[in-house]
Amino acid sequence: MHYRIELGTPGVDALRELAPNQVAMFELENPDAVRSLDVWVADDLIRRVDLRFGPEAGHRVGLPRYRDLGADLAIRPPS
């Protein structure tokens, strides 16, 4: 499923109240610039999140992008 979430004042206010580690995790140097989020969900996991920023951030679209949040990882050590 795909959701587009347009942020109004309450949503931006909530972003401003995030803990510093949460802000850093999502690279939200300027929470006031976030205008909307696109979220893709499948198999009970958030598969992708795109942030859209307003003019104060140069109208960036889709940066940063996150994939497969919460998924199990299989990492092979180098040989």
Side-chain angles (χ1 to χ4, degrees):
M1 301 199 83
H2 172 238
Y3 301 94
R4 172 160 291 157
I5 303 157
E6 301 290 334
L7 295 181
T9 302
V12 173
D13 289 344
L15 288 177
R16 269 194 232 111
E17 294 175 12
L18 290 174
N21 64 326
Q22 292 170 315
V23 172
M25 179 174 61
F26 287 102
E27 299 177 27
L28 293 175
E29 303 88 27
N30 184 3
D32 293 315
V34 178
R35 294 294 170 255
S36 67
L37 303 146
D38 283 290
V39 180
W40 286 263
V41 179
D43 302 321
D44 295 326
L45 290 173
I46 296 173
R47 295 296 183 171
R48 179 171 152 184
V49 177
D50 289 350
L51 304 177
R52 295 176 184 268
F53 298 89
E56 58 275 29
H59 288 290
R60 290 190 298 157
V61 176
L63 295 174
R65 176 175 286 172
Y66 307 95
R67 293 185 175 274
D68 295 334
L69 300 176
D72 292 330
L73 298 176
I75 300 173
R76 286 183 277 160
S79 46

